[in-house]
């Protein structure tokens, strides 16, 4: 009974931590595709963690994830069909100079996914 109540609270958007849980899931999946999450400290979304590099994007992805009833398949499809994912990973000197860590997501990472994923 306690586990069921806890699971309901975790996923309850209105009264529980549903928005936070959705953000954490979205961030971890984003990290699989891009090598770094929108929040760099994936295990600490609290006050001691880093702020999201793109908070509006994180909120929008979490909202879409919730609207699709927690569908991981739909979330993966949304990310891999995005222009951000499909862009080139070619090194351009102007982008490397402006954004060496690729925080602004101006280029795709060189290595996308491990074979096991």
């Amino acid at each position: 009974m306690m586990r069921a109540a806890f699971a309901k609270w975790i996923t309850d958007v209105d009264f529980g931590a549903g928005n936070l849980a959705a953000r954490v899931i979205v961030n971890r999946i984003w990290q699989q595709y891009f090598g770094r999450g929108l929040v760099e400290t994936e295990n600490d979304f609290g006050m001691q963690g880093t702020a999201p590099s793109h908070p509006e994007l994180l909120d929008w992805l979490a909202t879409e994830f919730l609207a699709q009833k927690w569908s991981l398949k739909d979330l993966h499809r949304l990310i891999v069909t995005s222009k951000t994912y499909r862009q080139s990973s070619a090194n351009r000197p102007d982008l490397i100079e402006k954004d060496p860590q690729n925080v602004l997501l101006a280029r795709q990472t060189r290595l996308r996914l491990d074979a096991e994923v």
Side-chain angles (χ1 to χ4, degrees), residues 88 90-102 106-107:
S88 173
N91 284 334
R92 289 182 23 206
D94 59 329
L95 294 178
I96 292 173
E97 183 180 321
K98 290 179 184 177
D99 186 20
Q101 301 299 320
N102 198 30
R107 62 188 180 279

Side-chain angles (χ1 to χ4, degrees), residues 10 23 25 33 39 51 66 68-69 75 103 107 111:
I10 286 283
R23 284 180 178 88
I25 292 169
Y33 284 112
V39 177
L66 291 171
Q68 297 300 322
K69 297 184 177 19
L75 178 61
V103 175
R107 62 188 180 279
L111 302 173

Side-chain angles (χ1 to χ4, degrees), residues 6-117:
F6 181 65
K8 185 175 181 179
W9 178 80
I10 286 283
T11 58
D12 190 344
V13 177
D14 294 327
F15 301 105
N19 288 335
L20 177 60
R23 284 180 178 88
V24 170
I25 292 169
V26 164
N27 189 61
R28 288 188 176 173
I29 291 173
W30 184 274
Q31 183 175 12
Q32 288 178 347
Y33 284 112
F34 293 96
R36 181 179 59 225
L38 295 168
V39 177
E40 274 190 73
T41 52
E42 70 168 299
N43 292 324
D44 190 353
F45 267 61
M47 298 298 289
Q48 295 181 355
T50 60
S53 59
H54 298 78
E56 295 86 9
L57 176 59
L58 182 61
D59 289 344
W60 182 78
L61 286 170
T63 301
E64 288 296 311
F65 183 51
L66 291 171
Q68 297 300 322
K69 297 184 177 19
W70 301 81
S71 171
L72 290 172
K73 181 178 179 179
D74 289 341
L75 178 61
H76 285 283
R77 182 180 295 122
L78 182 64
I79 291 173
V80 299
T81 58
S82 70
K83 287 184 179 180
T84 303
Y85 183 78
R86 294 183 295 142
Q87 65 190 350
S88 173
S89 63
N91 284 334
R92 289 182 23 206
D94 59 329
L95 294 178
I96 292 173
E97 183 180 321
K98 290 179 184 177
D99 186 20
Q101 301 299 320
N102 198 30
V103 175
L104 301 176
L105 305 171
R107 62 188 180 279
Q108 177 56 274
T109 56
R110 189 175 63 85
L111 302 173
R112 297 206 181 176
L113 287 175
D114 295 331
E116 294 81 16
V117 176

